[in-house]
């Protein structure tokens, strides 16, 4: 296999990975929105998904769902140090 063929294959693989990750992120957001619209509390959604409350709040805000409480100083510090995704 030539170097050009390898590079082409790498580019295709990288694009497929990006596409898959974007589709998974959209599917996750849709599930979170559906749960919140169905009346599930954000804290329950966060616990069920192992994502932070802040991540769930951002998704809710993105989709203009009913206002959730603003993050506290403590939760902001946790979000900054812990990140958005599970360990």
């Amino acid at each position: 296999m030539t170097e050009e063929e390898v590079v082409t294959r790498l580019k295709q693989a990288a694009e497929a990975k990006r596409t898959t990750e974007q589709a998974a992120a959209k599917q996750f957001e849709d599930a979170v929105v559906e749960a919140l619209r169905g009346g599930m509390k954000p804290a329950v959604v966060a616990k069920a998904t192992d994502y932070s409350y802040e991540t769930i709040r951002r998704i809710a805000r993105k989709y203009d769902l009913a206002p959730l409480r603003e993050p506290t100083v403590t939760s902001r510090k946790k979000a900054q140090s812990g990140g958005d995704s599970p360990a």
Side-chain angles (χ1 to χ4, degrees), residues 17-76:
K17 183 177 185 283
R18 269 191 295 280
T19 301
T20 301
E21 289 171 348
Q22 289 170 351
K26 177 68 173 137
Q27 183 180 9
F28 174 71
E29 283 184 1
D30 290 346
V32 168
V33 168
E34 183 180 334
L36 294 173
R37 285 188 177 147
M40 189 174 280
K41 294 186 182 225
V44 175
V45 175
K47 186 174 181 176
T49 61
D50 286 333
Y51 278 82
S52 70
Y53 179 86
E54 179 64 17
T55 299
I56 304 307
R57 190 185 69 75
R58 282 188 206 133
I59 293 170
R61 183 175 281 172
K62 178 180 176 181
Y63 288 90
D64 293 324
L65 298 178
L68 305 175
R69 72 173 177 80
E70 287 300 314
T72 63
V73 172
T74 303
S75 65
R76 285 178 198 247

